[in-house]
Amino acid sequence: MRIARFSIDGNVAFGAVEGDAPPGSTEGLVLDIIKGIPFADFELSGTKVPLDAVRLLPPVLPNKVVAIGRNYAEHAAELGHEVPDEPVVFFKPSTSVIGPGDTITYPSFSQELHHEAELAVVIGRMCREVPRERAADVILGYTCANDVTARDAQRREKQWARAKGFDSSCPLGPWVETDIDLAAAADLTIQCTVNGEQRQLGRTTEMIRPVADLIAHITEAMTLLPGDVVLTGTPAGVGPLHDGDQVAVSIEGIGTLTNKVIKRG
């Protein structure tokens, strides 16, 4: 099931996305409005609205986004880094999250903004100290993410809080796909285009540490809540974004997340 979060006539709801459309298009898709929330038992209302008639929002509002750095060897190499012995874990605040079609605002403190296409894991229930073999039990589904990074600030400041946590630096969407299991998640194509030109193309088979290992590692230290998001790292090919660029992240079996970059002022 594809679960979207949307607004219509000033109301916010979740809905199940039904129908088929060409990649990057919503033509012909409809939403069956969900009674309740997707983190508990719910029913479909049978009330349907065209997807083109609503505004898609970030598919979840996470309490926290827990991200993993340097989880693809070629990406680590392209930035001049070694593969770390332990996962590099960092946070993106909830205020960094935006949805499909929302604007990535170029921060005033950076002159070098980069895209990073990533598979995002959406947590379905509160969990801590999750054994690797039970990771699937705590996953609601998967969505597309763009770990937008102020690369110059990342180099300059060493700590990544501002470089990766500024407002609008975490586009998520277009919806959560719940019909992908851990085996399928381990072999998906990830692609990023800027103004239609391919920049990144990789597969989740290239991850150094797979999803189950990441969840086990993170939950050794902290509780994950329903709606929290885990970003799993980016393949090689990261590169610059400029004022007016349109950046799209596409993941096999999930969909396409598109945002435009605008410079302040």
Side-chain angles (χ1 to χ4, degrees):
M1 179 182 290
R2 293 169 291 176
I3 299 175
R5 182 171 161 269
F6 65 95
S7 66
I8 185 170
D9 297 330
N11 298 307
V12 175
F14 289 95
V17 182
E18 299 178 351
D20 295 303
S25 171
T26 59
E27 184 178 354
L29 298 180
V30 298
L31 287 161
D32 192 336
I33 297 175
I34 287 173
K35 293 180 179 179
I37 59 172
F39 308 109
D41 292 338
F42 65 84
E43 298 178 357
L44 298 179
S45 68
T47 300
K48 299 185 180 184
V49 294
L51 195 62
D52 287 342
V54 309
R55 179 190 171 200
L56 285 179
L57 303 173
V60 289
L61 285 179
N63 174 272
K64 55 187 172 292
V65 177
V66 187
I68 304 297
R70 302 170 190 167
N71 198 32
Y72 287 74
E74 289 187 10
H75 169 60
E78 73 180 344
L79 296 182
H81 301 296
E82 300 290 332
V83 172
D85 293 332
E86 294 284 335
V88 176
V89 181
F90 62 94
F91 295 101
K92 294 173 83 80
S94 59
T95 48
S96 70
V97 173
I98 59 173
D102 290 341
T103 297
I104 299 168
T105 303
Y106 212 115
S108 59
F109 58 84
S110 174
Q111 300 299 318
E112 190 183 354
L113 207 61
H114 279 197
H115 56 79
E116 294 192 6
E118 307 205 8
L119 175 70
V121 184
V122 179
I123 300 301
R125 65 180 181 85
M126 186 170 68
C127 58
R128 187 170 181 231
E129 297 182 344
V130 180
R132 184 185 188 282
E133 59 273 15
R134 293 195 58 192
D137 297 343
V138 306
I139 296 172
L140 174 67
Y142 300 86
T143 192
C144 305
N146 193 347
D147 176 20
V148 184
T149 302
R151 193 71 68 198
D152 49 352
Q154 184 184 26
R155 289 192 298 265
R156 183 173 66 243
E157 299 179 4
K158 309 303 181 186
Q159 295 290 336
W160 299 359
R162 294 208 319 156
K164 287 178 171 284
F166 62 89
D167 290 355
S168 78
S169 66
C170 190
L172 296 175
W175 41 64
V176 178
E177 175 57 72
T178 66
D179 290 336
I180 295 176
D181 60 20
L182 275 173
D187 191 18
L188 299 174
T189 300
I190 302 179
Q191 179 177 228
C192 178
T193 64
V194 178
N195 302 325
E197 175 189 349
Q198 183 176 288
R199 293 279 191 84
Q200 291 180 269
L201 181 63
R203 296 192 71 81
T204 55
T205 49
E206 301 165 23
M207 282 187 194
I208 297 165
R209 297 171 182 87
V211 169
D213 287 0
L214 297 178
I215 289 176
H217 181 78
I218 291 165
T219 60
E220 282 181 338
M222 70 192 73
T223 300
L224 293 177
L225 302 175
D228 280 351
V229 171
V230 175
L231 304 188
T232 59
T234 193
V238 301
L241 293 171
H242 300 104
D243 186 27
D245 282 348
Q246 182 165 281
V247 55
V249 174
S250 299
I251 301 181
E252 178 184 2
I254 298 175
T256 299
L257 166 68
T258 303
N259 301 91
K260 189 171 184 178
V261 181
I262 298 295
K263 212 169 179 75
R264 283 181 181 148

